[in-house]
Amino acid sequence: MDRSMIAPYRAEEKELSVIIHQKLLGLIALYPCSEVRKYLSDEMFIKPNQGAFYKIMSYLFRVFDIGEFKKRFHWPIRDKKAEEVFRSSTIEYLKFINEKYHLNWTGIKLYLAIMPSGLKFIRFLLGFINFIIQDLSKRNEKHLCLNFELMERKMTEADIVTITKKDVLLKKYISTQLKDMNDVNVTLAKKSDNICKQLNMLATKTELDVQMLETSDNLSVLRGSKIEFFKNGQSQGVAFTDIYAGSYYPSISIHRNATVSINFGPNFKNLNVLANYRAKGMFERVEELISEQVFSDLLYLTENEGRLRLDNFNV
């Protein structure tokens, strides 16, 4: 496939990442947290970044509801087991927020926490940050509607000045975010048009219908199927369930002069995983493929017996 087909998605990832960075800087200005600031960058989730994921999600949860965060999470994270618990707790809490506030978020699955990167994750994170900003603005508005005479009895003049300054800063920040959101909508509309053009070009090259490329109606879901990741023989959790039927092959992306070695079997270090999960090594697929090819050749030769000649090979 022409790599230019993928370019619009890469550009959108970078643009949304910059917006996420700006919004988080704005939140930290209102709710300071030095340990989070050092993880921020314009491209922090272009590639998987577990360290930034733990810090940023915990920060957002604490800003949103510190009491709920303390009940649901064990913080800070001190070992691999705690990382796994944090990931699963994050997905559970996000589903709870989605249901409670009727946000209609889709795709809240464990893979978001296992591989925090890519366009889907970036879009979701941006939506979550926008939700928190809107919720904070509503709380602040209710707070300002309180009886100021009663507040003056309980607060010093310095406290009132501090709240007023914070309110001005928050209003300024929110107005900026609303403008950014409008700009994002315009940008997304342009990107959508560009993607449609790319799909039309791809359909022309592959001689497929655009609708077939846009939808998954022609694919069948294999019930009970799943993709699960393991590290040193230990499960890292199920990332995908009920996936489309078909053949899936692992891929690895490396950068510049990086190297990697792959063990497709049969001499695995953690054979217990294959036995416990009734899995097969990639090396077994090679033998199956040879058998399938031989069987396919036999069928072809049988169906075309008597019609195959060197001068008529394409019959």
Side-chain angles (χ1 to χ4, degrees):
M1 182 187 296
D2 187 352
R3 294 185 66 85
S4 63
M5 303 291 182
I6 309 175
Y9 296 96
R10 297 298 185 192
E12 186 178 352
E13 283 182 1
K14 292 183 179 180
E15 289 180 8
L16 297 183
S17 294
V18 171
I19 295 172
I20 288 175
H21 185 206
Q22 294 173 346
K23 290 179 181 289
L24 288 174
L25 287 175
L27 278 175
I28 290 176
L30 294 171
Y31 304 92
C33 184
S34 58
E35 66 175 8
V36 173
R37 183 182 291 273
K38 65 181 181 181
Y39 285 90
L40 301 184
S41 72
D42 288 345
E43 299 183 350
M44 56 188 159
F45 290 118
I46 297 297
K47 296 180 180 179
N49 191 343
Q50 287 285 356
F53 171 78
Y54 298 137
K55 294 293 184 181
I56 290 172
M57 292 305 296
S58 64
Y59 170 73
L60 292 174
F61 288 148
R62 281 177 286 172
V63 170
F64 178 66
D65 190 336
I66 184 64
E68 194 71 22
F69 176 80
K70 290 181 178 180
K71 288 193 298 183
R72 290 177 173 269
F73 295 89
H74 297 284
W75 189 260
I77 295 175
R78 302 188 184 279
D79 51 39
K80 294 294 183 181
K81 181 63 177 178
E83 290 180 358
E84 182 179 348
V85 173
F86 183 88
R87 289 194 294 265
S88 59
S89 298
T90 294
I91 299 303
E92 290 178 5
Y93 190 28
L94 288 173
K95 289 181 178 179
F96 171 80
I97 294 173
N98 185 35
E99 183 177 352
K100 180 178 179 180
Y101 294 92
H102 308 289
L103 300 175
N104 297 321
W105 288 338
T106 58
I108 306 178
K109 296 183 179 180
L110 190 59
Y111 76 88
L112 290 174
I114 294 178
M115 297 289 287
S117 64
L119 187 56
K120 286 186 178 180
F121 175 80
I122 291 172
R123 283 176 175 171
F124 177 81
L125 181 59
L126 180 58
F128 184 48
I129 293 173
N130 286 336
F131 162 72
I132 290 179
I133 292 173
Q134 292 171 3
D135 185 77
L136 291 175
S137 65
K138 291 178 182 178
R139 295 185 206 174
N140 192 65
E141 185 177 351
K142 291 180 180 179
H143 180 70
L144 292 175
C145 291
L146 295 176
N147 190 323
F148 277 94
E149 292 182 0
L150 180 61
M151 290 175 61
E152 287 178 348
R153 298 174 189 171
K154 298 182 179 181
M155 301 173 62
T156 65
E157 183 176 348
D159 292 331
I160 296 175
V161 171
T162 301
I163 290 177
T164 304
K165 289 182 178 179
K166 197 170 186 179
D167 176 56
V168 172
L169 180 60
L170 182 60
K171 284 184 176 180
K172 183 178 179 181
Y173 175 64
I174 291 173
S175 63
T176 302
Q177 301 311 314
L178 291 175
K179 181 179 180 299
D180 289 343
M181 290 174 66
N182 292 331
D183 293 341
V184 169
N185 290 333
V186 173
T187 302
L188 289 178
K190 292 180 180 179
K191 294 298 180 183
S192 297
D193 292 339
N194 192 11
I195 291 173
C196 289
K197 292 178 181 178
Q198 298 289 353
L199 283 174
N200 288 326
M201 291 174 57
L202 182 60
T204 302
K205 290 183 178 180
T206 58
E207 298 182 354
L208 296 174
D209 293 334
V210 175
Q211 292 182 349
M212 183 178 295
L213 296 173
E214 290 179 338
T215 65
S216 57
D217 295 340
N218 58 323
L219 300 176
S220 59
V221 174
L222 184 60
R223 300 298 177 187
S225 59
K226 64 180 180 180
I227 294 179
E228 186 172 357
F229 292 94
F230 291 81
K231 182 178 180 180
N232 297 329
Q234 299 297 320
S235 173
Q236 304 299 302
V238 176
F240 305 94
T241 58
D242 293 337
I243 59 178
Y244 293 121
S247 298
Y248 294 81
Y249 298 94
S251 62
I252 296 176
S253 176
I254 57 178
H255 185 59
R256 292 190 177 180
N257 297 326
T259 60
V260 63
S261 61
I262 304 173
N263 181 9
F264 289 124
N267 299 319
F268 293 113
K269 292 184 178 180
N270 297 283
L271 292 172
N272 59 307
V273 174
L274 297 178
N276 295 339
Y277 288 84
R278 298 180 181 178
K280 295 181 179 180
M282 285 289 292
F283 73 98
E284 295 186 57
R285 179 59 184 147
V286 176
E287 298 178 359
E288 293 175 353
L289 187 61
I290 294 173
S291 300
E292 291 172 4
Q293 187 63 51
V294 171
F295 186 68
S296 176
D297 291 343
L298 287 174
L299 285 177
Y300 179 78
L301 293 172
T302 302
E303 291 174 354
N304 295 278
E305 185 177 3
R307 294 191 296 164
L308 295 176
R309 302 193 310 273
L310 291 177
D311 60 343
N312 194 21
F313 188 73
N314 293 324
V315 173

